[in-house]
Structure formats: structure tokens, C-alpha cells
Amino acid sequence: MSFREINFDTDVGLQDVTVRTPVNIATIKYWGKRDESLNLPLHSSISITLSMKNMYSQTTARKSDKTSFCINGSYEEPTKRFLRLIKKVEEETGENVNVSVSTHNTFPTAAGLASSASGFAALASAMKLLYKVDNDVSELARLGSGSACRSTKGGFVLWERGDDAAGRDSIATQLAPPSHWPEFRVLVCVVCKDKKAVPSTAGMQRTVETSALMKYRVNNIQGKINAMKVAIRNKDFKMFAEIAMRDSNEMHAVCLDTYPPILYLNSVSYDIMNFVHQYNSTHGVVVGYTFDAGPNAVLFCEATQLNKLKTELEKKFVSETSKVTEIIECEVGCGPLLQC
């Protein structure tokens, strides 16, 4: 199979499509909603789109007599989030939408590796191509999973909070293409493939309701977003890594401040954090980390540091202790692809 980047202006009106969409990793985290039904965030966020060599969602969708949904080879009842996206397509186009959807991930579902983001970005992309929806594809994807809107763009991506009550301006935009920082590398350290005990949506709601620290985060996060934009624009790795690590730590502190507390990290997560800080104390700030809603670590570095860093990680966390089951190497990647 061969794939090319989707042109959402011209690749429309098709009867069936197969699309691949990437994983994105937030460097300024999305945590907390101001509108549950529309997945509107309390604040903006920034992410990196990962290359699709090893990690992606692939979805085949075609118009049908009735709607069906198959994930990783198993037919399931369409979820509320799935149906919410379909309803939006019907509202925008005036068509009665019945679609057969089959999707699979090349990475664990619900393990804190942004599988829902990639999956709903694929569904939204397919729906836009099949039904000629005028809305930005990231707006459609957001209805399924908030973070999914960022997987509809390549490179370094900003998801705007927006002000419109209907969410029309809460969309993703590209800050810089993959070619902007070709030396940037990402290592995904898989610590645990199990589903997380507290799903992200439930965790966010509990945080918004109970965490005093969350209020501080919302009131002060714009400064970090502005600084991260500067770091990306200037390809300032030290600045980028420090902002990303501090923001990841703050998000998980907010989760701990939630009542009852939400614990996404485990002892291996903290071991990796300590490893990164020890490594940087010797080499300068050449590695950064971030953790989404799960224990799996995502490390950043530049190409000059990659081989040495990966060797040290494999020795400490794979060969000697088996604390990490897999290390997945990625570059900064493009947005959704369409099968030719």
C-alpha cells in the first residue's frame, strides 16, 4: 500500500477511503474542559506530531446502508463519542450518514499513548473526505477526542482554546512543519500497555471539580505557551525541554491535587525522570521528558544525542532491569495520509 498526504480541499466526495493518522504528544498538556459535550478545553495546548513509521491509526470507511464500527478486528457498538462526530457531519451536510468503519492501531489502546487521538483524527479525516464537510477537520476530530484535533496536523501544533461557545475557533493550527526542526527526535519508552485505571475524560472532570492547583494552572499557562512557541521558532532545545518537563510535572501535580487523587505515573516513570535529570547534569540539558495520562515516558533529544541516549536507556531500563518493554524511535511527522 502507498499513501500520500491528504489535501482536504481537493480529496473530497469519495465513496470509500483508507487513511492513516499519527500520534501526537503534548508538550504543553491539555487537561480540563470548559464544555464536556464539545470537548472545549480550559486552555490552549501544544504538541509534536510523531512520524508514522511505527505508530499510527489506520481507518477504512465507506458509505453503507447502516453504520458499523470495527476496531482491531472486533465489531463493537459505536460509542457516544463516535456518534457525536457522525451527528456533527449530518448537521453540517444535511445528509443521513451511514458508514462502515474499520480501524486498527499499531500501539496499545487506552494505555496513555494517545490512541483515541489518533483514532478519532482518522475517523474525522475519513468523514470530511466522504461527505465534503466544510468544517476544519480538527474541529470534527475534537468532538471525538479533544487531543485528536492535534493529530490532524503535522509538525509542531497549537490547539487554540478559542472563545466561541460553539467551538468553531477551538481548532488546531500548525506552528511549524516537520522540516523546520529535522534534527528533533522522540523516544517513546513503553512502561505499561495496560489500560489506565482512570480514563482521561473522567480524570479531567474530577480535576476541574476538586483541584485548587488547576485554577493556578489555567491562570498562568499562557506564559508557558508563549515561551514554547519561541523555543520552537528558535529551535532552542534547552528552553523547549525545560518547559516541557515542567509542564508535564505540573499536570501530574494537578492530578495528585485532585480528590481523590489520580495516579498515572508509577515507580518506573519516576526512575526515568531521575535518569533524565542525572543525564542532563553531566551533559547539559540535552534530553527532555513528558508523560501523558499514563506511565509511559516520551523523551526528546536531537539527532546528535540519539544513539548515546538510546544505548544508556536500553542498558539501564531494558537489558539490566526489564522495566521498559520497548523503546520506539520517532521523528517529527506529517499529518493524515490517504491511500493512493
Side-chain angles (χ1 to χ4, degrees), residues 2-7 10-11 14 334-340:
S2 60
F3 288 79
R4 62 170 175 80
E5 285 197 61
I6 296 174
N7 184 326
T10 59
D11 295 327
L14 306 175
C334 65
L337 302 176
L338 175 66
Q339 184 179 350
C340 301

Side-chain angles (χ1 to χ4, degrees), residues 32-36 40-43 161-165 167 169-170:
K33 305 177 187 183
R34 70 181 193 275
D35 187 306
E36 292 278 340
L40 298 180
L42 285 170
H43 56 76
R161 175 193 186 276
D163 297 312
D164 178 37
D169 57 352
S170 185

Side-chain angles (χ1 to χ4, degrees), residues 106-322:
T106 62
F107 50 96
T109 298
L113 288 172
S115 59
S116 64
S118 181
F120 277 109
L123 178 62
S125 298
M127 292 300 99
K128 185 171 176 65
L129 297 180
L130 289 176
Y131 290 96
K132 303 181 184 179
V133 188
D134 289 335
N135 306 59
D136 189 277
V137 65
S138 67
E139 181 188 353
L140 297 177
R142 190 200 70 231
L143 293 172
S145 167
S147 299
C149 71
R150 297 191 307 249
S151 279
T152 64
K153 314 292 179 184
F156 299 84
V157 180
L158 170 68
W159 173 17
E160 290 278 11
R161 175 193 186 276
D163 297 312
D164 178 37
R168 288 283 184 173
D169 57 352
S170 185
I171 59 175
T173 57
Q174 186 183 77
L175 293 173
S179 59
H180 170 71
W181 202 341
E183 307 86 6
F184 200 98
R185 296 292 184 271
V186 177
L187 293 175
V188 180
C189 300
V190 181
V191 174
C192 178
K193 296 183 179 181
D194 297 337
K195 290 186 177 182
K196 48 185 178 271
V198 181
S200 297
T201 297
M204 289 185 199
Q205 184 176 6
R206 192 195 304 177
T207 294
V208 171
E209 292 172 352
T210 65
S211 172
L213 184 55
M214 184 65 188
K215 298 178 178 61
Y216 170 87
R217 175 172 172 78
V218 172
N219 290 336
N220 291 275
I221 200 166
Q222 190 58 47
K224 284 195 291 186
I225 290 170
N226 294 340
M228 182 62 86
K229 288 180 181 179
V230 172
I232 293 169
R233 183 170 64 247
N234 295 337
K235 295 188 284 188
D236 185 331
F237 184 84
K238 180 177 183 291
M239 183 179 182
F240 180 100
E242 290 183 347
I243 295 169
M245 289 189 286
R246 287 177 179 272
D247 189 72
S248 177
N249 295 344
E250 183 179 275
M251 189 204 89
H252 288 281
V254 165
C255 290
L256 282 172
D257 187 54
T258 300
Y259 190 81
I262 305 169
L263 308 175
Y264 286 123
L265 306 182
N266 63 20
S267 61
V268 181
S269 308
Y270 292 114
D271 288 344
I272 294 173
M273 290 168 67
N274 288 330
F275 165 84
V276 168
H277 288 296
Q278 290 169 6
Y279 194 95
N280 285 342
S281 68
T282 302
H283 301 89
V285 181
V286 293
V287 188
Y289 60 73
T290 191
F291 294 82
D292 281 345
N296 301 302
V298 179
L299 305 190
F300 315 118
C301 68
E302 291 188 293
T304 54
Q305 297 291 328
L306 180 65
N307 290 337
K308 183 176 182 179
L309 172 62
K310 194 172 180 182
T311 298
E312 290 289 321
L313 280 169
E314 288 175 340
K315 179 182 178 182
K316 186 173 181 64
F317 292 100
V318 181
S319 302
E320 295 180 356
T321 62
S322 299

